[in-house]
Amino acid sequence: MVNIATTEELTNLSTPELKNQILELVKGRDVESIKAKCDFYKNQLAPYVSELSRRNPFPLVSEQLSIVLGFWKSVWSTIPFQDILPGRINDQSYQIFHDDGYYANIARFAPGYQSKFWRIFTSILPAYDLMVLQKYGIKDEQWFIQNVGIFQGLNKRGKPLTVEEADDWFTKIVTTKFQGDTTTIDLREEVKLDKMDSSTVKKFEKAYLAIPQLEHLYIDDDFRLIKSQREAKQRPSYTIAVRDH
């Protein structure tokens, strides 16, 4: 693991070196609790984020829209929403941006998959795939995000969810359900989740019915550093994402 650098040392690093150090710092930490990750950000990661954001080559949202298109993978995040469900498989979690103004966060969940002991008992259970579908654009020179749908699927655990399969699912949903005016969509109807317990559904409703705020502190062709908030009074969350393809 890299040592925590001083401000002067960070300033002297090249941008590729700085990005690599950030990736080394967060390696293996995405499985930690939200509290542990927030403490880690405050105590160790924040100076790196501050220095990298100072170097953002594309500060304007209008410049970022074309760069963000394609497939991304979150390598570390303090977003609580990601871990509402247990068993998220990091290597089968994707964020996909299409050029039609839609993007999707898609993840496979398989509780027990990390434990060799519990894997024996859970291997016969299906995997749970979840898609959170959103629209994106620009409003008042800022990213404008609109939640438009949550979709579920059950699949075999033994067959991994690839980014190509996730993209096909995303494309099919948009083509079949969202060719009209999304402003007429009843979000409370779209958040009906029949494969979850009522407590989890309430957590999803609270997150889903909010109006998300998103800012790229840094973005280039293969690395994104994102600051987001579900609502103004919520603490900011930070996500590090890398290009998947």
Side-chain angles (χ1 to χ4, degrees):
M1 179 176 174
V2 298
N3 295 321
I4 304 304
T6 65
T7 301
E8 183 178 358
E9 289 171 333
L10 290 175
T11 303
N12 291 332
L13 289 174
S14 69
T15 299
E17 288 173 334
L18 183 57
K19 292 192 295 182
N20 286 336
Q21 287 215 12
I22 289 174
L23 292 176
E24 280 296 316
L25 279 169
V26 302
K27 185 180 294 184
R29 288 184 172 271
D30 202 39
V31 297
E32 295 177 337
S33 68
I34 291 297
K35 182 183 183 306
K37 288 195 282 189
C38 289
D39 289 343
F40 168 70
Y41 176 84
K42 178 181 178 182
N43 298 326
Q44 299 186 49
L45 195 59
Y48 292 80
V49 169
S50 178
E51 177 61 27
L52 188 61
S53 64
R54 189 180 65 81
R55 307 184 190 189
N56 191 357
F58 302 102
L60 300 179
V61 176
S62 57
E63 300 174 315
Q64 299 169 6
L65 290 181
S66 61
I67 298 171
V68 82
L69 297 177
F71 309 125
W72 297 87
K73 186 170 290 184
S74 169
V75 295
W76 184 87
S77 179
T78 62
I79 297 178
F81 182 82
Q82 290 190 349
D83 296 314
I84 291 177
L85 291 174
R88 181 171 64 90
I89 303 178
N90 293 31
D91 289 341
Q92 297 177 48
S93 300
Y94 313 101
Q95 187 176 75
I96 305 173
F97 284 81
H98 284 177
D99 61 5
D100 58 0
Y102 288 96
Y103 79 100
N105 290 285
I106 300 173
R108 169 156 292 182
F109 296 83
Y113 85 95
Q114 290 177 314
S115 166
K116 291 182 179 180
F117 175 78
W118 287 111
R119 197 180 301 157
I120 298 172
F121 300 97
T122 61
S123 60
I124 60 173
L125 298 176
Y128 179 81
D129 295 338
L130 181 73
M131 179 196 307
V132 178
L133 184 64
Q134 297 168 300
K135 288 207 74 175
Y136 68 91
I138 302 176
K139 184 176 182 180
D140 299 326
E141 303 302 321
Q142 302 292 326
W143 277 84
F144 178 70
I145 306 299
Q146 179 188 8
N147 293 319
V148 294
I150 295 183
F151 304 93
Q152 313 160 84
L154 296 178
N155 288 285
K156 294 180 180 180
R157 288 194 178 207
K159 187 176 183 298
L161 176 66
T162 67
V163 69
E164 291 82 9
E165 290 169 334
D167 189 45
D168 287 344
W169 184 27
F170 172 21
T171 301
K172 181 178 179 181
I173 290 294
V174 172
T175 302
T176 57
K177 288 185 65 70
F178 294 98
Q179 292 302 302
D181 184 1
T182 55
T183 60
T184 64
I185 291 172
D186 184 344
L187 293 181
R188 293 189 181 277
E189 286 295 314
E190 292 298 323
V191 81
K192 286 184 176 180
L193 299 168
D194 57 2
K195 299 178 178 65
M196 297 182 190
D197 61 271
S198 59
S199 175
T200 303
V201 169
K202 287 180 180 179
K203 292 178 182 178
F204 266 98
E205 285 180 342
K206 184 177 180 180
Y208 182 67
L209 296 175
I211 300 175
Q213 301 174 26
L214 184 150
E215 177 186 359
H216 281 94
L217 300 179
Y218 180 93
I219 182 172
D220 62 25
D221 287 333
D222 59 13
F223 191 102
R224 293 164 60 218
L225 176 58
I226 307 121
K227 177 182 177 182
S228 59
Q229 287 177 277
R230 190 178 66 215
E231 51 196 27
K233 65 181 180 180
Q234 183 195 37
R235 63 158 179 79
S237 295
Y238 298 90
T239 300
I240 297 166
V242 295
R243 180 77 66 179
D244 190 71
H245 276 56

